[in-house]
Amino acid sequence: MPSTVISAAKDQLTLNFEPGLAERYGSLRECIATGVYQRGLKRVAIDLDQAPSNLSVQLSEDSSRNFSVDSLEKYIEKTGDTAPVMYLIERFLAADARNDNGKKLAAMRAKMAEMMREMEGLSQ
């Protein structure tokens, strides 16, 4: 289900229907790999004190070498990329929040409909 972000400025309403991280990535490894390749494999490998080929294998589906938790911490620290953390939050903690948000959104819709009816009554 796509995430919906609603923000309102004085005269503008912005809706963002971009899918959440848990929907865009099939795994934490895929999320990290995307961030690594966007920033440049060689550059990130240097930040992590690893050879680019070793890092590439760790981020692949090859089960002989895995990207460690220590490497993940160092990756986040060096790059500032918090997408892996957000992915984990969405995947494992956001289900409860989505249920609450769905209820809040339904209440907001009902209130907006009521306000629209009131506005129509004032304009007549």
Side-chain angles (χ1 to χ4, degrees):
M1 171 162 88
S3 63
T4 304
V5 177
I6 301 174
S7 60
K10 186 175 180 178
D11 296 314
Q12 181 177 348
L13 177 66
T14 304
L15 299 175
N16 178 0
F17 292 102
E18 184 176 313
L21 293 170
E23 294 165 335
R24 278 187 268 167
Y25 302 112
S27 67
L28 178 59
R29 180 181 304 171
E30 186 181 332
C31 180
I32 296 167
T34 299
V36 167
Y37 287 108
Q38 285 175 345
R39 287 165 178 75
L41 177 65
K42 288 182 182 179
R43 187 175 137 219
V44 174
I46 290 169
D47 287 343
L48 299 179
D49 299 321
Q50 296 185 25
S53 59
N54 186 42
L55 180 56
S56 180
V57 171
Q58 289 177 12
L59 296 172
S60 71
E61 297 296 320
D62 184 349
S63 61
S64 64
R65 292 191 222 159
N66 293 312
F67 192 75
S68 72
V69 173
D70 293 332
S71 293
L72 175 60
E73 284 188 57
K74 195 170 188 178
Y75 167 76
I76 294 168
E77 179 184 322
K78 296 285 185 173
T79 65
D81 180 13
T82 57
V85 176
M86 300 309 290
Y87 167 86
L88 291 171
I89 290 169
E90 275 188 35
R91 177 132 188 252
F92 296 105
L93 297 177
D96 294 332
R98 273 195 302 271
N99 290 338
D100 290 344
N101 288 340
K103 292 174 186 173
K104 288 178 186 176
L105 185 58
M108 287 174 63
R109 284 182 182 147
K111 186 167 184 148
M112 286 177 70
E114 180 183 332
M115 290 169 62
M116 293 297 287
R117 287 190 296 274
E118 287 178 21
M119 287 174 51
E120 286 173 5
L122 291 173
S123 66
Q124 294 177 2

